[in-house]
Amino acid sequence: MTPDVITVTHGVVGYDGRPVLRDVSLNVTTGEVVAVLGANGSGKSTLIRAILGLVPLSAGQVTLFGRPIRQFRQWHRVGYVPQRLGAGSGVPATVAEVVAAGRLSRRGILRPPGRVDRAAVAEALRAVGLADRAKDPVTTLSGGQQQRTLIARALAGRPEVLILDEPTAGVDAVSQEAFADALREFTDSGGTVLLVAHELGPLRPLISRAIVVHQGLVVHDGAVPEPAGHHAAPDHDHVHPHGPEEPAGLWSAQ
Amino acid sequence: MSLFQYEYMQLALLSALVIGLTAPALGIYLVQRRLALIGDGIGHVALTGVGAGLLFQTSPVIMAVIAATIGAILIELIRERGRTSGDLALALLFYGGIAGGVVLVGLSDSTSAHLNAYLFGALSTTSRGDVVTIVVLGTAVLLTMIGLRPALFAICHDEEYARVSGLPVRALNLLLAITTAITVTIAMRAVGVLLISALMVVPVATAQQVTRGFRSTMAAAMALGLFAGGAGIWMAALADTAPGASVVVVAIASFVVVTVLAVGWRRIRRVRPHPAPTPEPHEVVLNGS
């Protein structure tokens, strides 16, 4: 049996007393590419944040590479891609500078960047197709290119597992393809992926398993549900990506 | 230039140069984190330390370092907890700090000229001991800001990502808070409590009009700070103006000049330095995520 990379056992998360994840259990083993699907407000982003230790569990347990999250220290094995680049403050930063932050998990904070780090940054930029933009300020990039910058940042640390929060939401077709290529390259070399999405698009052929979250519970864990018509969502109305919005207030804090 | 043959002017110049170099090197992180005015707030708290120092006849600068450090740590803990009540808590700390300072100075036998020296700076009365303190602490802060640049950049740019990278985020935040307190306190002697934030923030604001990356912004801001420090003291010596205010006036004048030149340059070139981000076709319907 292949070793577990991520496990969640009866995970419960609540914000201000309101339960968001009610009782979630899942596992991701080495080499799998798992998609977590669900509507807005289903708790899928919270699930990702709980796995990364960014929100505390009120019950249950998360392990990464076999270690409980509180004791996990090998963060260089994990590459995290958030939903978007922070709002930014006006201080310019080049694409290469943002991507170089991905090397800190390997290098630590005291050692200055060396040749290995620069090579890893260049390689990550090539993988997402942004090598020619390395010296440009990130703010001059399109939304899709900024998203690819964040993926390059995660790849630069040479992680074993990539955890991505809505990597293709609102991203143009060119960037989606470039992103799918980068992900394929990563999984071909043995990488494990857990990603949250509500539409898979060009990623679909890469996904080995899908987990559908609805109202804080796992309602499906297995083959990727077949899309009905142009709806790239499982045959549940409640995960319909174009469905009526649930109150967004809960998520606006993120 | 003959004024610089006097030792007090040389000391004033040296202090201003060290502070001019150090304040923007720290300030760039504060600007990036949208805490541009934090230096101002910590300055207010430091004033209570000055008051305590004058009242108890101990070194006002050391008391100010202690008060400012405690204040900075409190502010950081408030920031970490959440943002809703943080705003108000910061205001309480700031005004409490300045009121406490004024009351304590009043209780001591110091004259108002003494308080003025801390409010607006008094480089020309800076002693050799003060200058040693400024140079030693300033160099320590400067080396920390340059040496830890990748890590500090990471926590100020994307704190959650830094956490998932396994960086000691809390320790780095506290380090930033404490170095801010130290910088504020040493800059207090030069530009005064009321103008400290200017030296931390204005050179950064000037630099980012023309730079493309974080590292180049930092280098340019430090150069501008150094220039403001030197030119400000020179102007103060020539025109017999308050040194702290002169340094800040030079910094702000640089901002205006650079901004006008940068705008003009872009006009002349007509072509923008980068193609504008192409609007993205809406391939995906967003549910307001």
Side-chain angles (χ1 to χ4, degrees), chain B residues 185-218:
Chain B
T185 320
I186 61 171
M188 184 171 71
R189 293 294 291 159
V191 288
V193 163
L194 297 181
L195 295 173
I196 282 166
S197 262
L199 256 194
M200 289 186 171
V201 171
V202 175
V204 178
T206 310
Q208 67 188 24
Q209 311 277 330
V210 290
T211 50
R212 296 160 67 83
F214 189 81
R215 199 168 76 160
S216 50
T217 308
M218 191 171 181

PDB file of all heavy atoms in Angstrom, chain B residues 185-218:
ATOM      1  N   THR B 185      13.288  55.045  18.253  1.00  0.00           N
ATOM      2  CA  THR B 185      13.922  55.698  19.393  1.00  0.00           C
ATOM      3  C   THR B 185      15.213  56.402  18.994  1.00  0.00           C
ATOM      4  O   THR B 185      15.472  57.513  19.461  1.00  0.00           O
ATOM      5  CB  THR B 185      14.194  54.669  20.501  1.00  0.00           C
ATOM      6  OG1 THR B 185      13.087  53.791  20.579  1.00  0.00           O
ATOM      7  CG2 THR B 185      14.372  55.360  21.810  1.00  0.00           C
ATOM      8  N   ILE B 186      16.006  55.763  18.140  1.00  0.00           N
ATOM      9  CA  ILE B 186      17.244  56.454  17.768  1.00  0.00           C
ATOM     10  C   ILE B 186      16.939  57.608  16.808  1.00  0.00           C
ATOM     11  O   ILE B 186      17.596  58.642  16.841  1.00  0.00           O
ATOM     12  CB  ILE B 186      18.315  55.502  17.190  1.00  0.00           C
ATOM     13  CG1 ILE B 186      17.844  54.816  15.919  1.00  0.00           C
ATOM     14  CG2 ILE B 186      18.777  54.495  18.219  1.00  0.00           C
ATOM     15  CD1 ILE B 186      18.947  54.051  15.207  1.00  0.00           C
ATOM     16  N   ALA B 187      15.903  57.443  15.986  1.00  0.00           N
ATOM     17  CA  ALA B 187      15.557  58.519  15.065  1.00  0.00           C
ATOM     18  C   ALA B 187      14.931  59.698  15.808  1.00  0.00           C
ATOM     19  O   ALA B 187      14.961  60.832  15.336  1.00  0.00           O
ATOM     20  CB  ALA B 187      14.601  58.009  13.995  1.00  0.00           C
ATOM     21  N   MET B 188      14.386  59.395  16.978  1.00  0.00           N
ATOM     22  CA  MET B 188      13.753  60.431  17.795  1.00  0.00           C
ATOM     23  C   MET B 188      14.731  61.567  18.101  1.00  0.00           C
ATOM     24  O   MET B 188      14.364  62.735  18.099  1.00  0.00           O
ATOM     25  CB  MET B 188      13.295  59.784  19.094  1.00  0.00           C
ATOM     26  CG  MET B 188      12.531  60.657  20.039  1.00  0.00           C
ATOM     27  SD  MET B 188      11.863  59.647  21.380  1.00  0.00           S
ATOM     28  CE  MET B 188      13.367  59.249  22.273  1.00  0.00           C
ATOM     29  N   ARG B 189      15.997  61.200  18.336  1.00  0.00           N
ATOM     30  CA  ARG B 189      17.000  62.225  18.636  1.00  0.00           C
ATOM     31  C   ARG B 189      17.240  63.116  17.425  1.00  0.00           C
ATOM     32  O   ARG B 189      17.587  64.287  17.572  1.00  0.00           O
ATOM     33  CB  ARG B 189      18.322  61.560  19.029  1.00  0.00           C
ATOM     34  CG  ARG B 189      18.269  60.818  20.316  1.00  0.00           C
ATOM     35  CD  ARG B 189      18.046  61.730  21.492  1.00  0.00           C
ATOM     36  NE  ARG B 189      19.219  62.569  21.737  1.00  0.00           N
ATOM     37  CZ  ARG B 189      19.185  63.707  22.412  1.00  0.00           C
ATOM     38  NH1 ARG B 189      18.050  64.160  22.869  1.00  0.00           N
ATOM     39  NH2 ARG B 189      20.284  64.395  22.598  1.00  0.00           N
ATOM     40  N   ALA B 190      17.068  62.556  16.255  1.00  0.00           N
ATOM     41  CA  ALA B 190      17.417  63.312  15.059  1.00  0.00           C
ATOM     42  C   ALA B 190      16.234  64.085  14.496  1.00  0.00           C
ATOM     43  O   ALA B 190      16.309  65.305  14.318  1.00  0.00           O
ATOM     44  CB  ALA B 190      17.966  62.355  14.000  1.00  0.00           C
ATOM     45  N   VAL B 191      15.155  63.374  14.194  1.00  0.00           N
ATOM     46  CA  VAL B 191      14.040  64.063  13.533  1.00  0.00           C
ATOM     47  C   VAL B 191      12.876  64.316  14.474  1.00  0.00           C
ATOM     48  O   VAL B 191      11.950  65.053  14.119  1.00  0.00           O
ATOM     49  CB  VAL B 191      13.541  63.266  12.295  1.00  0.00           C
ATOM     50  CG1 VAL B 191      14.543  63.359  11.178  1.00  0.00           C
ATOM     51  CG2 VAL B 191      13.230  61.845  12.640  1.00  0.00           C
ATOM     52  N   GLY B 192      12.893  63.680  15.646  1.00  0.00           N
ATOM     53  CA  GLY B 192      11.815  63.926  16.585  1.00  0.00           C
ATOM     54  C   GLY B 192      10.665  62.958  16.386  1.00  0.00           C
ATOM     55  O   GLY B 192      10.438  62.436  15.303  1.00  0.00           O
ATOM     56  N   VAL B 193       9.927  62.754  17.482  1.00  0.00           N
ATOM     57  CA  VAL B 193       8.817  61.799  17.496  1.00  0.00           C
ATOM     58  C   VAL B 193       7.802  62.088  16.390  1.00  0.00           C
ATOM     59  O   VAL B 193       7.268  61.194  15.758  1.00  0.00           O
ATOM     60  CB  VAL B 193       8.139  61.856  18.887  1.00  0.00           C
ATOM     61  CG1 VAL B 193       6.771  61.226  18.852  1.00  0.00           C
ATOM     62  CG2 VAL B 193       9.028  61.178  19.918  1.00  0.00           C
ATOM     63  N   LEU B 194       7.550  63.381  16.160  1.00  0.00           N
ATOM     64  CA  LEU B 194       6.451  63.726  15.252  1.00  0.00           C
ATOM     65  C   LEU B 194       6.814  63.530  13.786  1.00  0.00           C
ATOM     66  O   LEU B 194       5.941  63.549  12.933  1.00  0.00           O
ATOM     67  CB  LEU B 194       6.001  65.168  15.496  1.00  0.00           C
ATOM     68  CG  LEU B 194       5.444  65.418  16.893  1.00  0.00           C
ATOM     69  CD1 LEU B 194       4.997  66.855  17.056  1.00  0.00           C
ATOM     70  CD2 LEU B 194       4.281  64.475  17.186  1.00  0.00           C
ATOM     71  N   LEU B 195       8.102  63.363  13.468  1.00  0.00           N
ATOM     72  CA  LEU B 195       8.493  63.274  12.065  1.00  0.00           C
ATOM     73  C   LEU B 195       9.148  61.941  11.696  1.00  0.00           C
ATOM     74  O   LEU B 195       9.605  61.759  10.583  1.00  0.00           O
ATOM     75  CB  LEU B 195       9.456  64.421  11.721  1.00  0.00           C
ATOM     76  CG  LEU B 195       8.845  65.827  11.808  1.00  0.00           C
ATOM     77  CD1 LEU B 195       9.912  66.877  11.624  1.00  0.00           C
ATOM     78  CD2 LEU B 195       7.750  66.003  10.765  1.00  0.00           C
ATOM     79  N   ILE B 196       9.172  60.999  12.654  1.00  0.00           N
ATOM     80  CA  ILE B 196       9.884  59.739  12.423  1.00  0.00           C
ATOM     81  C   ILE B 196       9.340  58.971  11.224  1.00  0.00           C
ATOM     82  O   ILE B 196      10.087  58.514  10.359  1.00  0.00           O
ATOM     83  CB  ILE B 196       9.807  58.858  13.684  1.00  0.00           C
ATOM     84  CG1 ILE B 196      10.801  59.374  14.713  1.00  0.00           C
ATOM     85  CG2 ILE B 196      10.099  57.413  13.355  1.00  0.00           C
ATOM     86  CD1 ILE B 196      10.585  58.816  16.074  1.00  0.00           C
ATOM     87  N   SER B 197       8.008  58.839  11.183  1.00  0.00           N
ATOM     88  CA  SER B 197       7.409  58.046  10.112  1.00  0.00           C
ATOM     89  C   SER B 197       7.826  58.556   8.748  1.00  0.00           C
ATOM     90  O   SER B 197       7.953  57.785   7.805  1.00  0.00           O
ATOM     91  CB  SER B 197       5.896  58.066  10.233  1.00  0.00           C
ATOM     92  OG  SER B 197       5.469  56.910  10.883  1.00  0.00           O
ATOM     93  N   ALA B 198       8.037  59.867   8.644  1.00  0.00           N
ATOM     94  CA  ALA B 198       8.398  60.454   7.355  1.00  0.00           C
ATOM     95  C   ALA B 198       9.665  59.804   6.806  1.00  0.00           C
ATOM     96  O   ALA B 198       9.727  59.415   5.646  1.00  0.00           O
ATOM     97  CB  ALA B 198       8.593  61.953   7.508  1.00  0.00           C
ATOM     98  N   LEU B 199      10.682  59.656   7.646  1.00  0.00           N
ATOM     99  CA  LEU B 199      11.942  59.082   7.158  1.00  0.00           C
ATOM    100  C   LEU B 199      11.811  57.595   6.853  1.00  0.00           C
ATOM    101  O   LEU B 199      12.549  57.049   6.053  1.00  0.00           O
ATOM    102  CB  LEU B 199      13.049  59.291   8.189  1.00  0.00           C
ATOM    103  CG  LEU B 199      14.055  60.392   7.887  1.00  0.00           C
ATOM    104  CD1 LEU B 199      15.253  60.253   8.800  1.00  0.00           C
ATOM    105  CD2 LEU B 199      14.496  60.377   6.435  1.00  0.00           C
ATOM    106  N   MET B 200      10.862  56.925   7.489  1.00  0.00           N
ATOM    107  CA  MET B 200      10.667  55.499   7.212  1.00  0.00           C
ATOM    108  C   MET B 200       9.895  55.296   5.920  1.00  0.00           C
ATOM    109  O   MET B 200      10.081  54.293   5.235  1.00  0.00           O
ATOM    110  CB  MET B 200       9.888  54.841   8.352  1.00  0.00           C
ATOM    111  CG  MET B 200      10.674  54.706   9.632  1.00  0.00           C
ATOM    112  SD  MET B 200       9.690  53.756  10.801  1.00  0.00           S
ATOM    113  CE  MET B 200      10.894  53.508  12.078  1.00  0.00           C
ATOM    114  N   VAL B 201       9.005  56.221   5.627  1.00  0.00           N
ATOM    115  CA  VAL B 201       8.016  55.979   4.584  1.00  0.00           C
ATOM    116  C   VAL B 201       8.279  56.785   3.311  1.00  0.00           C
ATOM    117  O   VAL B 201       8.159  56.262   2.198  1.00  0.00           O
ATOM    118  CB  VAL B 201       6.606  56.304   5.145  1.00  0.00           C
ATOM    119  CG1 VAL B 201       5.581  56.273   4.036  1.00  0.00           C
ATOM    120  CG2 VAL B 201       6.245  55.325   6.243  1.00  0.00           C
ATOM    121  N   VAL B 202       8.655  58.054   3.461  1.00  0.00           N
ATOM    122  CA  VAL B 202       8.749  58.917   2.280  1.00  0.00           C
ATOM    123  C   VAL B 202       9.801  58.428   1.278  1.00  0.00           C
ATOM    124  O   VAL B 202       9.510  58.358   0.079  1.00  0.00           O
ATOM    125  CB  VAL B 202       8.983  60.390   2.699  1.00  0.00           C
ATOM    126  CG1 VAL B 202       9.192  61.265   1.476  1.00  0.00           C
ATOM    127  CG2 VAL B 202       7.798  60.901   3.501  1.00  0.00           C
ATOM    128  N   PRO B 203      11.006  58.031   1.714  1.00  0.00           N
ATOM    129  CA  PRO B 203      11.962  57.531   0.706  1.00  0.00           C
ATOM    130  C   PRO B 203      11.444  56.290  -0.033  1.00  0.00           C
ATOM    131  O   PRO B 203      11.707  56.123  -1.226  1.00  0.00           O
ATOM    132  CB  PRO B 203      13.203  57.187   1.536  1.00  0.00           C
ATOM    133  CG  PRO B 203      13.093  58.018   2.759  1.00  0.00           C
ATOM    134  CD  PRO B 203      11.627  58.109   3.049  1.00  0.00           C
ATOM    135  N   VAL B 204      10.683  55.434   0.666  1.00  0.00           N
ATOM    136  CA  VAL B 204      10.121  54.243   0.017  1.00  0.00           C
ATOM    137  C   VAL B 204       9.093  54.678  -1.023  1.00  0.00           C
ATOM    138  O   VAL B 204       9.070  54.181  -2.155  1.00  0.00           O
ATOM    139  CB  VAL B 204       9.487  53.295   1.062  1.00  0.00           C
ATOM    140  CG1 VAL B 204       8.876  52.087   0.382  1.00  0.00           C
ATOM    141  CG2 VAL B 204      10.521  52.866   2.086  1.00  0.00           C
ATOM    142  N   ALA B 205       8.243  55.615  -0.625  1.00  0.00           N
ATOM    143  CA  ALA B 205       7.218  56.109  -1.548  1.00  0.00           C
ATOM    144  C   ALA B 205       7.875  56.728  -2.779  1.00  0.00           C
ATOM    145  O   ALA B 205       7.388  56.570  -3.902  1.00  0.00           O
ATOM    146  CB  ALA B 205       6.334  57.131  -0.836  1.00  0.00           C
ATOM    147  N   THR B 206       8.987  57.433  -2.578  1.00  0.00           N
ATOM    148  CA  THR B 206       9.693  58.051  -3.702  1.00  0.00           C
ATOM    149  C   THR B 206      10.285  56.978  -4.610  1.00  0.00           C
ATOM    150  O   THR B 206      10.112  56.999  -5.823  1.00  0.00           O
ATOM    151  CB  THR B 206      10.833  58.948  -3.177  1.00  0.00           C
ATOM    152  OG1 THR B 206      10.304  59.805  -2.166  1.00  0.00           O
ATOM    153  CG2 THR B 206      11.434  59.784  -4.291  1.00  0.00           C
ATOM    154  N   ALA B 207      10.967  56.003  -3.990  1.00  0.00           N
ATOM    155  CA  ALA B 207      11.667  54.977  -4.770  1.00  0.00           C
ATOM    156  C   ALA B 207      10.702  54.183  -5.636  1.00  0.00           C
ATOM    157  O   ALA B 207      10.982  53.899  -6.799  1.00  0.00           O
ATOM    158  CB  ALA B 207      12.427  54.046  -3.830  1.00  0.00           C
ATOM    159  N   GLN B 208       9.539  53.852  -5.079  1.00  0.00           N
ATOM    160  CA  GLN B 208       8.668  52.940  -5.828  1.00  0.00           C
ATOM    161  C   GLN B 208       7.986  53.608  -7.025  1.00  0.00           C
ATOM    162  O   GLN B 208       7.321  52.933  -7.801  1.00  0.00           O
ATOM    163  CB  GLN B 208       7.664  52.260  -4.902  1.00  0.00           C
ATOM    164  CG  GLN B 208       6.640  53.164  -4.309  1.00  0.00           C
ATOM    165  CD  GLN B 208       5.824  52.416  -3.257  1.00  0.00           C
ATOM    166  OE1 GLN B 208       6.263  51.445  -2.683  1.00  0.00           O
ATOM    167  NE2 GLN B 208       4.620  52.887  -3.002  1.00  0.00           N
ATOM    168  N   GLN B 209       8.194  54.907  -7.190  1.00  0.00           N
ATOM    169  CA  GLN B 209       7.697  55.557  -8.412  1.00  0.00           C
ATOM    170  C   GLN B 209       8.474  55.082  -9.637  1.00  0.00           C
ATOM    171  O   GLN B 209       7.971  55.129 -10.750  1.00  0.00           O
ATOM    172  CB  GLN B 209       7.883  57.077  -8.340  1.00  0.00           C
ATOM    173  CG  GLN B 209       7.396  57.729  -7.088  1.00  0.00           C
ATOM    174  CD  GLN B 209       5.926  58.004  -7.161  1.00  0.00           C
ATOM    175  OE1 GLN B 209       5.382  58.227  -8.229  1.00  0.00           O
ATOM    176  NE2 GLN B 209       5.276  57.954  -6.028  1.00  0.00           N
ATOM    177  N   VAL B 210       9.727  54.689  -9.415  1.00  0.00           N
ATOM    178  CA  VAL B 210      10.579  54.397 -10.563  1.00  0.00           C
ATOM    179  C   VAL B 210      11.156  52.988 -10.580  1.00  0.00           C
ATOM    180  O   VAL B 210      11.765  52.591 -11.565  1.00  0.00           O
ATOM    181  CB  VAL B 210      11.757  55.410 -10.639  1.00  0.00           C
ATOM    182  CG1 VAL B 210      11.241  56.779 -11.035  1.00  0.00           C
ATOM    183  CG2 VAL B 210      12.499  55.481  -9.330  1.00  0.00           C
ATOM    184  N   THR B 211      10.955  52.213  -9.503  1.00  0.00           N
ATOM    185  CA  THR B 211      11.589  50.895  -9.460  1.00  0.00           C
ATOM    186  C   THR B 211      10.606  49.807  -9.880  1.00  0.00           C
ATOM    187  O   THR B 211       9.401  50.034  -9.930  1.00  0.00           O
ATOM    188  CB  THR B 211      12.103  50.583  -8.045  1.00  0.00           C
ATOM    189  OG1 THR B 211      11.037  50.829  -7.131  1.00  0.00           O
ATOM    190  CG2 THR B 211      13.292  51.431  -7.706  1.00  0.00           C
ATOM    191  N   ARG B 212      11.165  48.622 -10.166  1.00  0.00           N
ATOM    192  CA  ARG B 212      10.337  47.509 -10.635  1.00  0.00           C
ATOM    193  C   ARG B 212      10.313  46.350  -9.659  1.00  0.00           C
ATOM    194  O   ARG B 212       9.411  45.525  -9.711  1.00  0.00           O
ATOM    195  CB  ARG B 212      10.873  47.016 -11.978  1.00  0.00           C
ATOM    196  CG  ARG B 212      10.781  48.040 -13.079  1.00  0.00           C
ATOM    197  CD  ARG B 212      11.729  47.720 -14.218  1.00  0.00           C
ATOM    198  NE  ARG B 212      11.380  46.511 -14.926  1.00  0.00           N
ATOM    199  CZ  ARG B 212      10.469  46.461 -15.886  1.00  0.00           C
ATOM    200  NH1 ARG B 212       9.837  47.541 -16.241  1.00  0.00           N
ATOM    201  NH2 ARG B 212      10.202  45.341 -16.480  1.00  0.00           N
ATOM    202  N   GLY B 213      11.317  46.243  -8.804  1.00  0.00           N
ATOM    203  CA  GLY B 213      11.394  45.102  -7.903  1.00  0.00           C
ATOM    204  C   GLY B 213      11.563  45.548  -6.462  1.00  0.00           C
ATOM    205  O   GLY B 213      11.785  46.721  -6.178  1.00  0.00           O
ATOM    206  N   PHE B 214      11.453  44.594  -5.552  1.00  0.00           N
ATOM    207  CA  PHE B 214      11.554  44.907  -4.131  1.00  0.00           C
ATOM    208  C   PHE B 214      12.974  45.294  -3.749  1.00  0.00           C
ATOM    209  O   PHE B 214      13.202  46.267  -3.041  1.00  0.00           O
ATOM    210  CB  PHE B 214      11.106  43.692  -3.314  1.00  0.00           C
ATOM    211  CG  PHE B 214      10.962  43.979  -1.854  1.00  0.00           C
ATOM    212  CD1 PHE B 214       9.827  44.585  -1.358  1.00  0.00           C
ATOM    213  CD2 PHE B 214      11.979  43.651  -0.965  1.00  0.00           C
ATOM    214  CE1 PHE B 214       9.700  44.863  -0.016  1.00  0.00           C
ATOM    215  CE2 PHE B 214      11.860  43.925   0.390  1.00  0.00           C
ATOM    216  CZ  PHE B 214      10.710  44.526   0.858  1.00  0.00           C
ATOM    217  N   ARG B 215      13.931  44.519  -4.257  1.00  0.00           N
ATOM    218  CA  ARG B 215      15.320  44.784  -3.902  1.00  0.00           C
ATOM    219  C   ARG B 215      15.766  46.149  -4.406  1.00  0.00           C
ATOM    220  O   ARG B 215      16.408  46.911  -3.679  1.00  0.00           O
ATOM    221  CB  ARG B 215      16.218  43.688  -4.476  1.00  0.00           C
ATOM    222  CG  ARG B 215      17.557  43.631  -3.781  1.00  0.00           C
ATOM    223  CD  ARG B 215      18.286  42.389  -4.160  1.00  0.00           C
ATOM    224  NE  ARG B 215      18.848  42.503  -5.485  1.00  0.00           N
ATOM    225  CZ  ARG B 215      19.836  41.745  -5.922  1.00  0.00           C
ATOM    226  NH1 ARG B 215      20.339  40.826  -5.134  1.00  0.00           N
ATOM    227  NH2 ARG B 215      20.313  41.894  -7.130  1.00  0.00           N
ATOM    228  N   SER B 216      15.400  46.473  -5.651  1.00  0.00           N
ATOM    229  CA  SER B 216      15.814  47.767  -6.185  1.00  0.00           C
ATOM    230  C   SER B 216      15.107  48.902  -5.439  1.00  0.00           C
ATOM    231  O   SER B 216      15.686  49.975  -5.227  1.00  0.00           O
ATOM    232  CB  SER B 216      15.547  47.838  -7.683  1.00  0.00           C
ATOM    233  OG  SER B 216      14.230  47.445  -7.979  1.00  0.00           O
ATOM    234  N   THR B 217      13.855  48.675  -5.022  1.00  0.00           N
ATOM    235  CA  THR B 217      13.145  49.701  -4.248  1.00  0.00           C
ATOM    236  C   THR B 217      13.865  49.950  -2.929  1.00  0.00           C
ATOM    237  O   THR B 217      14.055  51.093  -2.508  1.00  0.00           O
ATOM    238  CB  THR B 217      11.698  49.261  -3.966  1.00  0.00           C
ATOM    239  OG1 THR B 217      11.077  48.895  -5.184  1.00  0.00           O
ATOM    240  CG2 THR B 217      10.903  50.376  -3.315  1.00  0.00           C
ATOM    241  N   MET B 218      14.286  48.867  -2.295  1.00  0.00           N
ATOM    242  CA  MET B 218      14.973  48.988  -1.014  1.00  0.00           C
ATOM    243  C   MET B 218      16.278  49.771  -1.183  1.00  0.00           C
ATOM    244  O   MET B 218      16.567  50.689  -0.405  1.00  0.00           O
ATOM    245  CB  MET B 218      15.254  47.603  -0.451  1.00  0.00           C
ATOM    246  CG  MET B 218      15.731  47.593   0.978  1.00  0.00           C
ATOM    247  SD  MET B 218      15.771  45.883   1.575  1.00  0.00           S
ATOM    248  CE  MET B 218      16.318  46.136   3.240  1.00  0.00           C
TER     249      MET B 218
END
